[in-house]
Amino acid sequence: MSTSGADSLKPSAFIPVCTAACLLFGSTSLFFVFTCPWLAVSISPAVPPCCAVIFLFVLANFTMATFMDAGVLPIANEDEDKEEDFRAPLYKNVDVKGVQVRMKWCGSCHFYRPPRCSHCSVCDHCVEDFDHHCPWVNNCIGRRNYRYFFMFLLSLTVHITAVLTFGLLYILNHREELWELHCTVTLVVVSISGLFLIPVLGLTGFHLYLVFRGRTTNEQVTGKFQGGVNPFSRGCCKNLEYLVCSPISPKYTGRSFKKTTVHVQPPFLRPEIDRQMPLKLKDNGIQSKDVSKKVGFITLSDTSQIKPPPPLPPKPDHGLLKSHLAALDSMLTLASEQQTNSRSQERSRGSPVAGIQPGHDTSQSQASLHTNTIAGSLPLSSLTLNSRSLTLKHNSHHGNKGSNPQPGIMSATNLFPNHNSLSYDNLMSSPDLHMLSQRGGATMSCHPHFMTLASDGSLVQRPPPPHAYSPVFMGVARQSPHISSRDVPPPSAAARYDNFSKTIMASIHERRDIEERDRMLRLHGRPQPLFGVEMGIYDIPSRRSLPPDNIRQTGSRGPTPPAYGSREFLMSTGILGYGIRSSPLSSSSTSSLTRGPRTSTSPLQTSSSSSLQTKGRTSSPLLGPADRQPQPLPTFTATLPRKPSLSSAPSYATYATTKRSSLSYGSEKDSPTAGTLK
Amino acid sequence: MCLVSLPTHRLTGPSEKQRCLAPPHWLHSAALKIHNLQELRHNASLATKVFIQRDYSEGTLCRFQSKFPSELDNRIERSLLEETVKTLNSYYVEAEKIGGQSYMEGCLACATAYFVFLCMETRYEKVLKKISGYIQEQNEKIYAPRGLLLTDPLERGMRVLEISVYEDRGSSSSSPSSSSMSSACSTAR
């Protein structure tokens, strides 16, 4: 309760309550000593006991009103604060029984004050159903102790009235002995009683009126429901009933919560997100059970990630497969690095940890990362199968391979980590080449377009991939045309394939790829996951560096998917990826705030808590825009270290990353200031 | 079975014609690390917190919104969370009910000059204990297996229902592949 700024602890705050207590005790004691004996004799022996009971009641209510917690709301954790704080409006409207009630942001307590809640500047805390701060009891009057305060007033009125009446009776019967001790004392007591009866009676009547109207003192004084409907009023009688008979709400502060540990240990269950995913898995019965558990989000991420990349050149050789494997491994690790780096940066943490992200994105990212390392052959092979099925549909004269393609595909999938399009392409291409080298025509039907392109590549004599690619991919890329040129497709298959116009086949397969891409996107129906965004980023430079799809027919870019994966990926995810990634990742707030700029006057407006301006909230909005200026992602990491230096907030590189980064700075107590690094 | 481990087998395959770019040494160690996947203990770290706000549409009675937060879309089934919130709301309704028992408590308190509060637990407190037990049970049965944890609203002043979302931090595989990979990558760097 008490902070350094709480005025209720100042010595001067105790004067009224001490005065009131002294007057109450003193006067009543004198009354009982000097007046009551005569009253018991002259009027009735029941008078003193009744007066005693009333006085006991007064005392009890006085004690409860003084020492009972009024319904103090504890200060919000910074975790809760973070999503509220950043660019949040000062007021939030809620609908209470059809009436719009404004909830104001409390700058000291870091939450939107519930309806009827107000911040007591004397005690420096928010009180539920805040009535007023009573100096005579040196306590806030709120939800929990309002009835005791009201009862105190009532009983005090009765008590004062009784004392006054009986005192006057005594004096009137002892007019001749006015200057005797008994009379003098009684006279003094009567005077004090008479003096305090008027204000106490007035206050009691005022609160009786408030109870009947269902208002608090705060609402009455501020005129909240003056002209309108009070949604909190239940009617005259029900208000009285609520006042007297409602259960006492619990104390929120100073409770000892018994901490029972609940162990949260991965792996975590996930709801079945996409029903289609398991179907794909079932297609490939080769998959081990180990992966089946992770199927849900593996496949999800995979399929969402795998926007159909441009087809890879065929890779016919084992040797080539090995080199491709090595290349892919390198790319995989690099990609993982990039992903973890980017993700960690998004979380405003330097250390790559896969933990702190909003669940939605986390699952995506986790899945994406997961797919990199886990035997994601299942989804890839399923994807391959799907794409193959697409191709198979169109190549009627190519019969089903049966099980033959599967091993090839499986081997391909096992060989190549499912690194997005590259692995996809490898899946598509390597089985082709593998099978082509082994068997022949049947395999052609698997990925005829690859063959087409390969043959196109070989025919068109594609230029070698750019040197800017990583050595791995340079090798791979260079190998692909090599391979394609060296590759000797089975004459039957080639002959069969050459029957179609190569450009026509390429265009057909492009359209199929696009269709499949759309299908994948529709299946998931969500914005690009984190990894998917990376894929988008992946795509973006590839679209720039690679010719558009319509040019693919010429086969000029057919064999360059490794390059597509290598340099562009590295560069893009390293630099551009962040900027692009952040935008689609705007996470929705659970508080459904209408996000608007919090005015700089908001800290000032929380004047009731003016003593706590130092909590740091005030400075943050001002700092925010300044910090926000150097946005671009290369400075992303640069801004991150600055965050701790700021008094409060975790750095929010973008609003989208607010929630993700918030927990990384959860340790900062004062922190979350609005939008410091936005 | 980790994909990363498989290449090591493949690399020993035939046809050395092509320039074999062996993966860095750390990749092997990462693969080995991931091989021991089953033995490694999973660790969870707090990822984020989702807050279910109070529903003030019926006044200041304690009620929580039954709107499903979108952040939990892929973490828990809607029906489970809605059921939990509904049950909690019903508990709060029961706690705040003005009826026979609350009358008796009030009269008794008045009669004993509120000394009864020193000896007896109010009905609200009893229901709060029930709520606490319910939340504990829900956490153990439903939420913790999904990497979520409910926090008793009482700890937050009955303003929000806080749901902590945990992620697999991972000294081991799956999504911790990121951490294991990242750690491997960082060492490589």
Side-chain angles (χ1 to χ4, degrees):
Chain A
M1 171 196 73
S2 57
T3 65
S4 57
D7 294 340
S8 60
L9 291 183
K10 287 188 188 154
S12 58
F14 290 97
I15 294 173
V17 64
C18 290
T19 309
C22 288
L23 280 171
L24 186 64
F25 272 98
S27 306
T28 310
S29 307
L30 291 174
F31 173 80
F32 278 116
V33 167
F34 292 97
T35 316
C36 277
W38 180 85
L39 290 169
V41 168
S42 309
I43 299 178
S44 169
V47 166
C50 288
C51 288
V53 165
I54 294 169
F55 180 60
L56 201 62
F57 203 59
V58 169
L59 275 184
N61 286 302
F62 178 71
T63 308
M64 293 294 271
T66 304
F67 296 109
M68 192 163 198
D69 186 298
V72 174
L73 293 172
I75 295 174
N77 277 350
E78 51 262 14
D79 300 330
E80 181 188 348
D81 194 2
K82 286 178 174 60
E83 74 172 45
E84 306 278 357
D85 194 1
F86 182 59
R87 284 195 315 170
L90 183 60
Y91 290 99
K92 196 161 82 158
N93 285 327
V94 288
D95 187 72
V96 179
K97 293 181 185 172
V99 177
Q100 284 286 312
V101 174
R102 222 167 48 165
M103 295 191 350
K104 191 177 173 185
W105 174 265
C106 184
S108 308
C109 303
H110 308 320
F111 52 75
Y112 282 92
R113 294 176 195 150
R116 309 198 100 180
C117 167
S118 190
H119 191 93
C120 175
S121 55
V122 178
C123 304
D124 191 31
H125 46 56
C126 274
V127 175
E128 215 175 357
D129 289 4
F130 179 74
D131 193 84
H132 68 285
H133 180 91
C134 182
W136 302 106
V137 298
N138 193 30
N139 196 16
C140 288
I141 307 300
R143 182 178 174 186
R144 294 184 77 234
N145 62 355
Y146 181 75
R147 83 184 63 192
Y148 306 117
F149 176 77
F150 185 77
M151 288 299 172
F152 170 65
L153 285 179
L154 270 183
S155 57
L156 188 64
T157 308
V158 171
H159 178 67
I160 290 177
T161 310
V163 167
L164 188 65
T165 308
F166 291 123
L168 280 175
L169 265 178
Y170 181 90
I171 288 169
L172 287 174
N173 281 293
H174 290 85
R175 261 171 291 178
E176 306 81 21
E177 305 152 12
L178 267 178
W179 301 116
E180 296 217 1
L181 180 64
H182 285 228
C183 260
T184 310
V185 167
T186 307
L187 204 59
V188 168
V189 166
V190 164
S191 307
I192 293 170
S193 303
L195 196 66
F196 283 98
L197 179 64
I198 314 266
V200 169
L201 196 62
L203 197 59
T204 307
F206 174 65
H207 278 275
L208 208 60
Y209 168 77
L210 289 180
V211 164
F212 285 134
R213 293 299 298 267
R215 294 181 195 167
T216 64
T217 306
N218 187 264
E219 287 163 357
Q220 176 69 25
V221 165
T222 55
K224 260 189 200 151
F225 305 116
Q226 212 60 13
V229 179
N230 183 359
F232 304 107
S233 173
R234 299 170 178 82
C236 205
C237 297
K238 287 234 179 261
N239 289 337
L240 207 57
E241 181 195 44
Y242 179 79
L243 168 80
V244 176
C245 307
S246 68
I248 300 164
S249 60
K251 197 163 78 157
Y252 304 132
T253 56
R255 283 184 93 94
S256 59
F257 296 102
K258 65 172 174 74
K259 294 288 181 191
T260 53
T261 52
V262 177
H263 294 284
V264 178
Q265 276 217 338
F268 298 138
L269 301 175
R270 303 271 175 155
E272 291 184 12
I273 305 165
D274 286 288
R275 302 285 187 259
Q276 296 87 354
M277 292 306 111
L279 291 177
K280 286 181 191 164
L281 299 170
K282 282 175 205 155
D283 293 341
N284 193 349
I286 302 175
Q287 283 312 302
S288 66
K289 297 296 178 290
D290 295 333
V291 192
S292 59
K293 212 198 258 188
K294 304 178 178 71
V295 158
F297 59 87
I298 293 180
T299 56
L300 174 70
S301 60
D302 276 341
T303 52
S304 59
Q305 293 159 14
I306 301 176
K307 301 170 181 39
L312 281 174
K315 300 178 181 62
D317 266 354
H318 291 286
L320 183 63
L321 287 174
K322 191 166 111 183
S323 59
H324 281 294
L325 174 66
L328 283 168
D329 286 344
S330 313
M331 195 179 68
L332 167 69
T333 58
L334 288 167
S336 307
E337 285 178 48
Q338 292 296 331
Q339 288 168 12
T340 54
N341 285 341
S342 62
R343 215 155 281 127
S344 64
Q345 287 176 357
E346 279 186 351
R347 289 194 300 268
S348 314
R349 281 177 68 159
S351 62
V353 176
I356 302 177
Q357 286 188 5
H360 182 81
D361 290 328
T362 304
S363 66
Q364 301 295 335
S365 60
Q366 282 187 353
S368 60
L369 293 171
H370 182 66
T371 57
N372 282 329
T373 55
I374 296 280
S377 54
L378 172 61
L380 291 176
S381 57
S382 64
L383 183 62
T384 307
L385 285 171
N386 290 329
S387 52
R388 232 180 64 236
S389 64
L390 287 173
T391 64
L392 283 171
K393 281 176 207 162
H394 292 271
N395 300 326
S396 54
H397 65 278
H398 296 293
N400 275 331
K401 289 346 145 280
S403 61
N404 271 335
Q406 283 198 353
I409 292 168
M410 285 308 302
S411 64
T413 58
N414 289 334
L415 277 175
F416 301 101
N418 52 347
H419 182 72
N420 302 335
S421 62
L422 180 56
S423 51
Y424 168 85
D425 294 329
N426 289 327
L427 284 177
M428 302 294 281
S429 57
S430 58
D432 286 338
L433 302 171
H434 185 73
M435 288 181 281
L436 282 171
S437 60
Q438 283 179 352
R439 297 175 51 247
T443 59
M444 287 310 302
S445 67
C446 290
H447 309 283
H449 60 291
F450 285 132
M451 286 310 299
T452 306
L453 292 168
S455 48
D456 285 343
S458 58
L459 288 172
V460 177
Q461 290 167 2
R462 233 175 11 87
H467 295 275
Y469 296 156
S470 70
V472 171
F473 294 108
M474 281 172 68
V476 172
R478 290 201 187 113
Q479 281 158 9
S480 33
H482 253 300
I483 293 158
S484 60
S485 59
R486 286 186 296 113
D487 183 32
V488 181
S492 59
R496 211 180 313 165
Y497 211 75
D498 288 339
N499 290 338
F500 297 90
S501 161
K502 293 183 181 54
T503 55
I504 291 172
M505 287 306 303
S507 62
I508 288 172
H509 294 301
E510 285 163 23
R511 259 181 251 122
R512 213 173 296 135
D513 289 340
I514 292 167
E515 284 169 19
E516 188 176 7
R517 194 179 313 177
D518 293 341
R519 192 174 58 84
M520 292 298 175
L521 287 173
R522 261 181 277 112
L523 280 178
H524 301 284
R526 75 180 84 188
Q528 297 177 1
L530 183 61
F531 201 80
V533 173
E534 292 180 11
M535 277 305 301
I537 299 161
Y538 205 67
D539 284 332
I540 289 171
S542 69
R543 286 199 200 97
R544 282 188 284 104
S545 60
L546 298 174
D549 286 348
N550 54 3
I551 305 179
R552 261 190 348 184
Q553 304 173 20
T554 64
S556 62
R557 298 297 302 190
T560 57
Y564 159 86
S566 64
R567 167 166 152 259
E568 274 75 15
F569 174 79
L570 292 177
M571 290 175 61
S572 64
T573 54
I575 296 173
L576 301 171
Y578 295 114
I580 298 165
R581 187 182 300 116
S582 58
S583 48
L585 296 178
S586 56
S587 52
S588 61
S589 165
T590 55
S591 63
S592 68
L593 284 175
T594 57
R595 298 287 169 176
R598 181 178 300 170
T599 63
S600 59
T601 59
S602 66
L604 302 176
Q605 288 184 13
T606 59
S607 55
S608 61
S609 61
S610 57
S611 58
L612 293 179
Q613 298 284 338
T614 55
K615 287 221 172 165
R617 184 176 291 277
T618 62
S619 58
S620 58
L622 306 174
L623 287 172
D627 290 338
R628 202 177 320 162
Q629 299 314 321
Q631 178 351 308
L633 275 214
T635 64
F636 195 104
T637 52
T639 58
L640 288 176
R642 286 216 306 265
K643 290 180 190 177
S645 68
L646 295 174
S647 62
S648 50
S651 57
Y652 303 93
T654 62
Y655 175 68
T657 62
T658 292
K659 282 172 69 174
R660 279 190 296 283
S661 57
S662 64
L663 288 174
S664 61
Y665 290 83
S667 57
E668 301 181 14
K669 183 63 175 82
D670 290 341
S671 52
T673 60
T676 47
L677 290 183
K678 186 99 187 268
Chain B
M1 207 62 76
C2 174
L3 190 61
V4 178
S5 63
L6 290 171
T8 56
H9 300 295
R10 293 291 176 181
L11 283 171
T12 58
S15 97
E16 305 296 331
K17 282 184 193 168
Q18 300 303 324
R19 179 90 173 82
C20 171
L21 297 166
H25 66 281
W26 49 262
L27 189 60
H28 292 286
S29 60
L32 288 172
K33 204 189 293 184
I34 295 166
H35 268 301
N36 297 329
L37 171 61
Q38 284 77 14
E39 294 115 38
L40 290 170
R41 283 184 66 81
H42 296 255
N43 290 315
S45 65
L46 182 64
T48 185
K49 290 187 181 181
V50 176
F51 299 99
I52 295 180
Q53 300 288 334
R54 274 271 292 271
D55 176 14
Y56 293 110
S57 61
E58 289 176 27
T60 50
L61 293 174
C62 188
R63 238 184 100 80
F64 288 97
Q65 291 177 355
S66 48
K67 181 174 76 106
F68 188 82
S70 54
E71 290 86 347
L72 300 177
D73 256 337
N74 58 343
R75 296 305 299 257
I76 190 169
E77 290 84 352
R78 277 176 185 256
S79 58
L80 288 174
L81 184 63
E82 283 169 6
E83 183 63 33
T84 304
V85 174
K86 202 167 72 164
T87 311
L88 283 176
N89 287 338
S90 70
Y91 274 126
Y92 288 122
V93 164
E94 181 197 337
E96 294 181 354
K97 196 162 70 89
I98 300 174
Q101 191 169 359
S102 60
Y103 284 135
M104 289 299 298
E105 272 181 6
C107 291
L108 193 63
C110 266
T112 61
Y114 310 116
F115 281 105
V116 71
F117 292 137
L118 299 171
C119 322
M120 199 182 75
E121 201 178 51
T122 63
R123 190 171 66 124
Y124 209 123
E125 294 279 343
K126 286 188 189 131
V127 176
L128 286 179
K129 282 212 171 110
K130 268 206 301 187
I131 290 170
S132 172
Y134 173 75
I135 288 177
Q136 172 80 7
E137 175 211 340
Q138 289 282 292
N139 273 337
E140 284 168 2
K141 285 189 188 162
I142 295 175
Y143 290 88
R146 288 167 173 79
L148 305 171
L149 271 188
L150 293 179
T151 302
D152 196 335
L154 192 62
E155 297 180 28
R156 300 286 175 262
M158 306 283 245
R159 289 179 299 103
V160 289
L161 177 62
E162 181 181 305
I163 303 174
S164 307
V165 180
Y166 288 87
E167 290 299 340
D168 195 350
R169 178 180 57 199
S171 52
S172 52
S173 85
S174 73
S175 60
S177 66
S178 63
S179 59
S180 61
M181 288 305 297
S182 60
S183 59
C185 296
S186 58
T187 56
R189 269 182 264 122

